[in-house]
Amino acid sequence: MKEKKEILVTGGTGFIGSHTVVELLELGYQPVIFDNCSNSSKAIIKQIALITGKECAFYKGDMRDKALLRSVFEKYSIQGVIHFAACKAVAESVAKPLHYYDNNLISLLNLFACMEEFQVNKLVFSSSCTVYGVENSIEPLNETMPMGKPNSPYGWTKWMAEQMLIDIAGKSALRPVILRYFNPIGAHPGGKLGEMPNGVPNNVLPYITQTAAGLREELTIFGNDYQTPDGTCVRDYIHVTDVAKAHVRALEFPVEGTLDVFNLGTGKGTSVLELVRIFEKLTGKPLNYRFGARRPGDVDALYADVSKAKKFLNWNTERTIEDAILDAWKWEQYRLKNEIF
């Protein structure tokens, strides 16, 4: 009988988490999802099953509830953890710093305690390019750069989480892989799974698609006076399925030493205004947009050096920014037609 590879996926109904669950199921793993659905929906579980033809276990709960989290470790033979569960909006973190520190760090401490108790050593941690800080915000960022000073409480929670991993991995059997990704966008190529934020989107592409679909009156581009070619922020937009595939590669990666770190991006920057214009060109849908004030915590430009992930994870991006835009638009139309909320 083939051994079941049970993998705990925290935040598994979220945008990147759900796409990673699809990849895990298709490769024969048995994902166990733990999510409080604070910025997602349980409806995503049905979409995952629709795509894969497979079911997975789901627990709705807050990771700050250590007893509930521990009960999952008791019930299943967890082989590894992919940890996505966290609040992740830069501007919101500036407005609600206490909530971000409490949620993102207490959850992680509880996870560490459960992993230690049940002798689970493999962890793939969802980090962010924000840990590079404002000092390194223009040139392509690589993993040899020291962590800088993040520009938001969200960024600091990722910075602190990475430091916790360094300290704990050095004194325990934990062998984490840290993935610092840039700006995941898009949807599953079949159009039946994608980003579904609760309320007003914090990320730009779902705001674009919702504006094009008539759900939002207009798109606000925050700032047009940045030190970039067209004045709008430049980001490294990467297709979500490429990000999901990298998590599975990281799960299987044999860590040498105590931990390892990889950037996930395309290595190419695209401005927000460019993203809008590409969407209009591909879909033929003109967007009602205006320029607004800068958002707290945003920096001019962030894009990745991804040579390390290509070399050691044997990973590369397969889908383009055009693919991401069309897949996201396909998902938006499917979601509205089928009333998935």
Side-chain angles (χ1 to χ4, degrees):
M1 183 176 177
K2 187 176 180 181
E3 180 187 6
K4 291 191 299 182
K5 299 177 182 177
E6 293 174 332
I7 305 298
L8 178 63
V9 184
T10 70
T13 63
F15 179 40
I16 306 171
S18 61
H19 288 80
T20 302
V21 168
V22 168
E23 294 296 324
L24 289 168
L25 284 167
E26 291 181 340
L27 289 171
Y29 288 93
Q30 304 263 322
V32 178
I33 296 174
F34 192 100
D35 202 320
N36 65 6
C37 298
S38 62
N39 195 36
S40 60
S41 170
K42 189 178 177 181
I44 290 296
I45 300 295
K46 293 182 179 178
Q47 299 308 118
I48 292 171
L50 182 64
I51 292 169
T52 64
K54 299 176 182 178
E55 303 289 336
C56 61
F58 169 72
Y59 289 83
K60 185 173 182 179
D62 193 310
M63 289 185 66
R64 289 172 291 182
D65 183 345
K66 187 177 178 181
L68 179 60
L69 182 61
R70 187 183 181 280
S71 72
V72 176
F73 278 85
E74 278 189 313
K75 183 172 182 179
Y76 296 93
S77 178
I78 302 297
Q79 306 285 304
V81 179
I82 305 180
H83 180 57
F84 294 104
C87 298
K88 63 180 183 61
V90 169
E92 182 185 55
S93 77
V94 174
K96 301 177 180 179
L98 179 59
H99 174 62
Y100 269 68
Y101 287 117
D102 178 58
N103 182 78
N104 292 6
L105 298 180
I106 299 302
S107 296
L108 189 58
L109 285 170
N110 286 343
L111 178 62
F112 288 156
C114 290
M115 291 182 70
E116 182 177 48
E117 180 181 353
F118 290 90
Q119 298 181 349
V120 181
N121 299 330
K122 189 66 179 182
L123 171 66
V124 179
F125 178 71
S126 168
S127 191
S128 166
C129 59
T130 58
V131 301
Y132 289 110
V134 295
E135 308 96 313
N136 299 317
S137 63
I138 297 296
E139 58 192 319
L141 305 176
N142 67 69
E143 299 87 346
T144 63
M145 291 177 173
M147 291 193 291
K149 294 181 179 180
N151 211 24
S152 69
Y154 163 70
W156 278 112
T157 66
K158 293 298 185 184
W159 192 101
M160 292 176 186
E162 287 203 19
Q163 187 60 50
M164 289 161 62
L165 284 166
I166 290 168
D167 293 339
I168 294 169
K171 300 295 181 181
S172 73
L174 183 68
R175 292 297 176 263
V177 176
I178 296 170
L179 298 180
R180 295 173 179 165
Y181 34 83
F182 285 63
N183 289 74
I185 60 171
H188 191 271
K192 294 180 173 61
L193 180 67
E195 190 166 3
M196 197 169 72
N198 291 335
V200 179
N202 285 306
N203 295 336
V204 63
L205 190 52
Y207 211 112
I208 287 173
T209 60
Q210 288 189 16
T211 302
L215 298 178
R216 306 286 166 193
E217 184 177 341
E218 67 178 5
L219 166 72
T220 301
I221 298 176
F222 297 105
N224 63 344
D225 60 348
Y226 287 95
Q227 296 300 306
T228 61
D230 62 21
T232 64
C233 288
V234 169
R235 296 291 182 265
D236 189 339
Y237 296 104
I238 176 173
H239 198 291
V240 65
T241 59
D242 286 328
V243 176
K245 290 176 189 294
H247 282 78
V248 181
R249 295 286 178 89
L251 186 68
E252 298 169 344
F253 180 71
V255 175
E256 295 183 5
T258 57
L259 59 75
D260 216 330
V261 182
F262 298 95
N263 284 340
L264 298 183
T266 65
K268 180 180 182 298
T270 302
S271 76
V272 175
L273 189 57
E274 285 179 303
L275 193 70
V276 167
R277 289 171 175 164
I278 295 169
F279 178 89
E280 290 179 324
K281 180 180 178 180
L282 290 174
T283 65
K285 300 281 293 185
L287 284 170
N288 182 27
Y289 68 87
R290 67 178 180 85
F291 295 108
R294 294 187 179 198
R295 288 187 306 185
D298 276 343
V299 297
D300 295 348
L302 292 168
Y303 55 101
D305 176 348
V306 292
S307 56
K308 183 179 177 183
K310 290 180 180 180
K311 180 178 180 181
F312 293 102
L313 294 182
N314 192 27
W315 168 87
N316 207 343
T317 53
E318 298 174 1
R319 301 186 68 79
T320 65
I321 193 169
E322 290 80 10
D323 293 328
I325 289 170
L326 289 173
D327 291 340
W329 180 232
K330 191 188 304 181
W331 159 245
E332 187 69 60
Q333 294 172 296
Y334 172 89
R335 185 175 74 90
L336 293 175
K337 181 180 178 181
N338 292 276
E339 298 182 344
I340 303 170
F341 297 101

